[in-house]
Amino acid sequence: MKDLPSIDARHAVERLCHATGLLLVASGLAHLVVFAVDGGPWDGPVSWRKPVTFGLSFGVTLIAVTWVTSYLRVGQRLRTVLLVVIAADCVVEVGGITLQAWRRVPSHLDMETPFDTAVSMTLAVGGGVLVVLLTVFAVASFRNRATGPAGMPLAVRSGFAILLVGLASGAAMIARGVVLTRTGHQEAAYHSTAPLKPLHGVSLHAVLILPTLAWLLSHTSWSERTRQRIVAVAVGCYAAAVAGAGVWAVLTY
C-alpha cells in the first residue's frame, strides 16, 4: 500500500506528458492545414513549416521520452520533476515558434525588435534547458542497465546517445546563428543552419525508433538472442545514417 502514492504520481505525470505531447502534435497537424489553405513558402525563416515540424517533433519526442524513461533505473521523484520541466519547455518552444509564424517573422535568430529578441533568446535558453535535462536521462541510461525485454537496454542507451548528437547539432546551429547575427550578418545567420538540419532531424528520433523496435520484437516468438541481434543491427544502421548526415554537414558547412 505504501507504493500506491508513488505509482499514482508516476501515472499522473505520464498522462500529463502524453496529453501535452498529443496537443503539440495536433498543433503541428493543424498548421499543416493552415499551410495548405494559406500557402506561402515551405522553406526559409518565415514559413508555416516551422510550427508544423516543431509541433510534430516536440510532441513525438515528449511522448517518446516519457515512455522510454519508464525503463530507466532512476528515482521517481527525479523523473517526475524532469518530465514536468521538459513538458513545460516543449510547450514554450512550440508556442514561441508558432507565435512568430503567425506574426510573420522569424522565430530564431531574430533580433530586429526587443520583443523578437526576447522570443529568440527564450527559445535559445529553452533549447539549452532541454539539452541539460535530457543529458541527465542519457547519463542514467548508461549508469544503470535499463529494464525491459531483450534488446531494450541497448535500444534505450543508443537512442539517448544519438539523441544527444541531435541536441548538440541543434545547439551548434543556434550558437553559429547568434554569432552571425551579433556580428551583423542576419541573412547569413538564417542560412547557416541548413547544413546541420539533416543531422539534427535524423538524430532526434532514435530515442523513439530504436526502443519501439525492441518493444515490437518482444511480441514475436523469436529467441532473445535473435531479437538482441536485430536491435544491434538496427543500432548500427541508425549510427551509419547519423554518421552520413554528419559527413554531409562537415562537407557543406
Side-chain angles (χ1 to χ4, degrees):
M1 296 296 292
K2 292 182 179 180
D3 293 333
L4 289 179
S6 62
I7 293 174
D8 290 342
R10 183 190 71 189
H11 290 166
V13 72
E14 288 177 350
R15 286 194 297 269
L16 171 65
C17 291
H18 288 153
T20 303
L22 289 174
L23 286 175
L24 296 179
V25 169
S27 175
L29 294 175
H31 283 88
L32 187 60
V33 176
V34 172
F35 169 71
V37 174
D38 187 60
W42 181 253
D43 294 319
V46 181
S47 74
W48 292 117
R49 167 186 57 83
K50 300 189 78 172
V52 171
T53 56
F54 278 83
L56 293 174
S57 183
F58 272 85
V60 169
T61 299
L62 176 58
I63 293 171
V65 168
T66 302
W67 169 57
V68 170
T69 55
S70 67
Y71 293 106
L72 296 181
R73 299 180 187 275
V74 62
Q76 182 54 41
R77 181 174 298 179
L78 174 61
R79 177 173 178 257
T80 297
V81 171
L82 292 180
L83 287 179
V84 169
V85 176
I86 289 172
D89 201 349
C90 287
V91 171
V92 170
E93 293 288 302
V94 176
I97 290 163
T98 302
L99 170 66
Q100 296 299 71
W102 282 96
R103 294 183 65 237
R104 307 287 186 170
V105 296
S107 56
H108 294 85
L109 311 175
D110 184 3
M111 311 292 181
E112 294 296 326
T113 69
F115 181 81
D116 293 330
T117 299
V119 173
S120 180
M121 296 309 297
T122 297
L123 295 177
V125 171
V129 171
L130 283 178
V131 171
V132 172
L133 299 185
L134 291 173
T135 298
V136 173
F137 279 135
V139 171
S141 73
F142 280 91
R143 288 188 62 185
N144 298 293
R145 181 181 174 86
T147 61
M152 185 62 77
L154 174 61
V156 170
R157 285 178 174 176
S158 301
F160 272 113
I162 296 174
L163 174 63
L164 292 182
V165 174
L167 296 174
S169 61
M173 286 191 286
I174 295 298
R176 175 64 172 165
V178 169
V179 170
L180 289 171
T181 299
R182 295 296 188 185
T183 55
H185 302 88
Q186 188 68 58
E187 285 301 317
Y190 292 143
H191 297 292
S192 67
T193 61
L196 286 170
K197 284 182 178 179
L199 175 62
H200 184 61
V202 170
S203 303
L204 283 182
H205 300 298
V207 74
L208 170 63
I209 294 173
L210 295 175
T212 297
L213 173 62
W215 179 81
L216 290 173
L217 290 172
S218 71
H219 290 76
T220 68
S221 59
W222 295 336
S223 67
E224 288 192 5
R225 191 171 187 179
T226 299
R227 285 181 276 151
Q228 288 173 338
R229 286 179 174 176
I230 293 174
V231 172
V233 170
V235 169
C237 292
Y238 211 110
V242 172
V247 170
W248 170 260
V250 171
L251 293 177
T252 58
Y253 197 62

